[in-house]
Amino acid sequence: MTDGTDRPQTPQREPGAPDNGGYGYPQGQIPAGGYGYPQAGRPGGNGYPPAPGAPGAAGFGPPADGQAPPAGYGYPQPGPYQQGPYQPAPPVPGPFEPPADEPDWNALAEGAEQDRHKKRQWAVIGGATALVLLVGGGAFLLLGNDDGGSDDAKPLASGSPSVSASPSPSVSGSKAPVDNTPTVAGDPTVLRDRSGKAGLKMGPEASAVPIEKRFEFRATGTPNSYAESQKGLVDVSKSFTVTARISNSASKGRQIAVSQGNEKTFSFELGSDEVNGKPAWIFRVQTNKEGADNTTATVVAEGRTMDSTMTELTGTYNYSTKMITLFVDGKQINEAKVPGVHNAPGPLELGRTRSQGNWAGAWAGAMDSLRVYRIALSPEQVDDQKPGKLDASIKPVGSWLLF
């Protein structure tokens, strides 16, 4: 490197000219040692030390024999300023390493992220649990508020306000709340059809009465104690079934709970009558259009009890076999073969029947769970249609006062 000024250049030696000490081997007359080997009698150069006995300064090599070397690059200076033994230079520190006790920041960051992830998971789980509890509690309150009808058996007059209580039992066994209101909304004089729109208009002396968690139709045995549809619901020229739970306090005479017919005669009737001087349950059909008593066919279940116990009566007509059958509380009791059933189109009647152009068989008692089907139920199907446990796969064409 230079400082920017010109340096004197060493001239080239001419052939035969004496040598001064240069950068090569020194000449014999050079006053001082060069950069090569030292000269005799001259101070040591940067190469080998001075010759023995020659004064010279310490060079880079070892001192002359018998002489104390001055302070050089390798050996210490004797005397009061003599340095100590040779000490190696301290090691140069390597790449920076954190102290052993300094925290692992990467590990701490990963741990914090895992903690945040767990907290988010618990927050999601907690929210979902709270939502499930809230929905379940709402459903519990909804079902718990359905406390059924009144326990007091107070008659609902045909002109009185509609009953607001709705019993809780379901028709098909479902736990969901079911509207069991017995009458049509806005008209407490019409029994509500649970299967369609065939409401039954009650007479002025009939009523719908709440009993525990159900309702029942009440008739007093008078001409104005009945209920009827606007038109016929059953085609008796084909198979059909009629069923109802009934109770009757009358001990004598003809008492008809359910019938259908025209102005002159009935097509079928279900209820009780005297058989061999004793009250019995009956299912009867008319086989002739004239409506004579001697053209009727009846199946009987004797031993009817005289108490307020509700009994389920079911009558079926099978068009294929021409058989009529009576069931009591789901059990087949009796059957009979008939030539057919006279089709006397007219309204369905509760609490009375038509006989030779007149009303007959006024009912004094109660009934509920009324249904009519356009098929003849088999004994197994009849048993499956118990009140409160109806087979939902079998659809009636009309049903009233179910529970």
Side-chain angles (χ1 to χ4, degrees):
M1 297 177 62
T2 65
D3 55 4
T5 61
D6 294 335
R7 301 294 181 184
Q9 298 182 355
T10 303
Q12 298 294 322
R13 181 178 63 85
E14 296 292 333
D19 283 336
N20 293 326
Y23 289 96
Y25 292 96
Q27 302 301 312
Q29 299 301 315
I30 300 305
Y35 286 95
Y37 291 91
Q39 304 299 311
R42 296 289 187 264
N46 290 324
Y48 288 87
F60 289 103
D65 291 343
Q67 295 183 4
Y73 286 95
Y75 296 89
Q77 175 68 39
Y81 298 102
Q82 181 176 351
Q83 297 180 1
Y86 169 76
Q87 298 292 330
V92 178
F96 173 76
E97 295 182 0
D101 57 349
E102 185 170 344
D104 188 341
W105 298 109
N106 291 334
L108 292 177
E110 292 178 359
E113 179 60 26
Q114 291 178 355
D115 290 341
R116 287 193 294 271
H117 181 66
K118 290 180 179 179
K119 289 180 180 180
R120 288 194 295 268
Q121 286 182 329
W122 281 112
V124 172
I125 293 173
T129 302
L131 180 60
V132 171
L133 293 176
L134 181 62
V135 173
F140 175 78
L141 291 175
L142 179 61
L143 294 176
N145 287 335
D146 187 15
D147 58 357
S150 172
D151 290 337
D152 298 328
K154 298 180 180 180
L156 183 68
S158 60
S160 63
S162 176
V163 176
S164 60
S166 297
S168 60
S170 169
V171 175
S172 60
S174 171
K175 294 182 179 180
V178 175
D179 181 11
N180 284 338
T181 305
T183 55
V184 173
D187 190 350
T189 67
V190 178
L191 296 177
R192 184 169 67 95
D193 182 4
R194 296 281 294 276
S195 302
K197 298 181 180 180
L200 303 180
K201 179 71 173 181
M202 291 186 290
E205 296 180 19
S207 59
V209 179
I211 301 294
E212 296 180 350
K213 293 185 178 182
R214 60 184 176 85
F215 292 87
E216 64 183 25
F217 171 77
R218 288 279 181 89
T220 60
T222 61
N224 290 324
S225 182
Y226 64 90
E228 67 178 1
S229 64
Q230 291 184 346
K231 59 182 180 179
L233 299 180
V234 178
D235 182 357
V236 297
S237 65
K238 301 177 181 178
S239 298
F240 68 90
T241 299
V242 57
T243 181
R245 283 205 332 154
I246 59 178
S247 67
N248 192 347
S249 58
S251 59
K252 297 181 179 180
R254 184 181 184 181
Q255 306 285 321
I256 303 304
V258 188
S259 69
Q260 181 175 293
N262 58 14
E263 294 82 358
K264 186 174 184 179
T265 186
F266 64 90
S267 290
F268 70 83
E269 56 186 21
L270 181 72
S272 68
D273 204 345
E274 286 188 65
V275 177
N276 299 323
K278 296 180 181 180
W281 300 119
I282 61 99
F283 176 54
R284 180 180 291 131
V285 298
Q286 177 60 257
T287 64
N288 188 280
K289 65 179 181 178
E290 298 300 327
D293 290 341
N294 60 3
T295 56
T296 61
T298 306
V299 284
V300 178
E302 297 182 355
R304 200 205 85 184
T305 57
M306 295 301 301
D307 56 29
S308 59
T309 301
M310 300 292 280
T311 301
E312 184 183 18
L313 292 188
T314 302
T316 66
Y317 169 62
N318 189 319
Y319 174 77
S320 298
T321 62
K322 299 295 190 292
M323 299 292 293
I324 60 172
T325 307
L326 177 63
F327 298 81
V328 178
D329 291 330
K331 305 301 180 183
Q332 181 175 332
I333 302 300
N334 207 344
E335 64 180 0
K337 192 173 184 66
V338 297
V341 178
H342 170 57
N343 190 3
L348 187 77
E349 300 284 346
L350 301 186
R352 63 184 183 178
T353 187
R354 198 73 172 174
S355 179
Q356 298 184 7
N358 298 309
W359 293 114
W363 184 264
M367 63 186 79
D368 64 18
S369 194
L370 297 115
R371 304 178 303 279
V372 291
Y373 302 83
R374 289 176 181 167
I375 60 172
L377 298 181
S378 67
E380 294 77 17
Q381 290 173 325
V382 170
D383 192 49
D384 288 341
Q385 296 299 293
K386 294 178 180 179
K389 298 181 180 180
L390 303 181
D391 185 348
S393 66
I394 304 174
K395 302 294 184 182
V397 294
S399 58
W400 306 266
L401 303 167
L402 300 182
F403 66 96

